[in-house]
Amino acid sequence: DQQVKQNSPSLSVQEGRISILNCDYTNSMFDYFLWYKKYPAEGPTFLISISSIKDKNEDGRFTVFLNKSAKHLSLHIVPSQPGDSAVYFCAASAVNGNKLVFGAGTILRVKS
Amino acid sequence: DAGITQSPRHKVTETGTPVTLRCHQTENHRYMYWYRQDPGHGLRLIHYSYGVKDTDKGEVSDGYSVSRSKTEDFLLTLESATSSQTSVYFCAISQGRRLNTEAFFGQGTRLTVV
């Protein structure tokens, strides 16, 4: 049973437009959420995170929104660039844990 | 780039043979993790370590064992490789007890079991 779900396997957007990647979770004990980005033949790299005490965190073109009541978070990329094309993983950590649980990933393609 | 190296980067092995993957870090981070990446499953935790000789199981630990005799090295062993263990394996390191702080991943090891 997947505790972190990314229901869109892929997303294609035009350069300059907004990319929105979604993530749902089921475990109420999760209190910290992260997004990782992965290029082919490379390891994942940390992108942005958010604590459950916040509902928004912004870093340059990347913003993560958290809706705790809906157990949903999203990553917004504005404006999207071709170099953003990668696999994006959503991950969550529980308040009494020290492990990250990952979603299946969403492949983002930004067309120029 | 964080000092984390996985070896080998690619390996093809036969069913039933033992295989050991190595993760080496130069960051002196306390926590080390082994994940496997499979289509449709994302990254799944196999085992992790919170100190020398201190390890624990993740969600897909069956068929795998680990050892950490030094802070810098974390070994993943497949005692008797099976085709279901064909995957890309990633090691990760972190300073904190929780992966709230930035976690660094290695470049991965692609393992094929034939």
Side-chain angles (χ1 to χ4, degrees):
Chain A
D1 182 33
Q2 280 193 315
Q3 298 184 67
V4 178
K5 299 178 184 178
Q6 294 178 255
N7 292 319
S8 298
S10 65
L11 174 68
S12 183
V13 299
Q14 200 67 35
E15 180 179 7
R17 305 294 292 269
I18 185 171
S19 295
I20 300 176
L21 295 95
N22 294 303
C23 178
D24 298 293
Y25 62 96
T26 57
N27 190 338
S28 300
M29 297 302 290
F30 288 151
D31 70 336
Y32 202 81
F33 305 90
L34 306 90
W35 285 93
Y36 281 81
K37 176 179 179 180
K38 184 184 179 304
Y39 292 119
E42 295 184 10
T45 56
F46 170 77
L47 189 59
I48 192 169
S49 63
I50 187 167
S51 165
S52 60
I53 62 173
K54 296 184 176 181
D55 54 19
K56 176 183 175 181
N57 189 27
E58 196 171 350
D59 184 2
R61 297 186 296 113
F62 302 91
T63 303
V64 56
F65 296 91
L66 175 62
N67 182 333
K68 290 186 291 292
S69 60
K71 293 189 176 67
H72 176 84
L73 62 154
S74 60
L75 175 68
H76 293 211
I77 306 173
V78 183
S80 300
Q81 300 173 353
D84 295 329
S85 297
V87 180
Y88 289 79
F89 290 103
C90 172
S93 170
V95 64
N96 59 349
N98 52 11
K99 298 171 280 189
L100 274 180
V101 180
F102 284 83
T106 297
I107 300 170
L108 174 65
R109 297 186 185 90
V110 180
K111 298 175 290 186
S112 56
Chain B
D1 287 347
I4 177 169
T5 306
Q6 290 184 232
S7 59
R9 294 292 314 280
H10 302 271
K11 185 169 182 66
V12 180
T13 192
E14 292 186 349
T15 298
T17 60
V19 177
T20 296
L21 308 183
R22 181 184 184 230
C23 178
H24 178 77
Q25 62 147 329
T26 58
E27 304 295 324
N28 201 34
H29 284 4
R30 180 181 177 188
Y31 289 84
M32 298 186 76
Y33 303 77
W34 277 107
Y35 285 87
R36 60 179 287 176
Q37 183 195 4
D38 303 289
H41 292 280
L43 292 155
R44 292 181 292 174
L45 182 65
I46 306 171
H47 282 281
Y48 68 100
S49 170
Y50 45 96
V52 173
K53 299 191 190 308
D54 292 323
T55 64
D56 204 352
K57 296 178 179 179
E59 58 183 307
V60 290
S61 59
D62 287 348
Y64 302 94
S65 63
V66 290
S67 66
R68 191 167 178 200
S69 59
K70 297 184 291 185
T71 299
E72 57 266 34
D73 289 324
F74 192 32
L75 304 180
L76 176 70
T77 298
L78 290 67
E79 300 293 344
S80 178
T82 67
S83 58
S84 65
Q85 294 176 311
T86 292
S87 186
V88 180
Y89 291 85
F90 288 100
C91 175
I93 62 174
S94 174
Q95 279 186 309
R97 176 181 180 274
R98 299 183 60 190
L99 281 173
N100 294 358
T101 56
E102 186 174 347
F104 300 96
F105 281 80
Q107 291 191 296
T109 295
R110 182 173 293 278
L111 176 68
T112 302
V113 183
V114 298

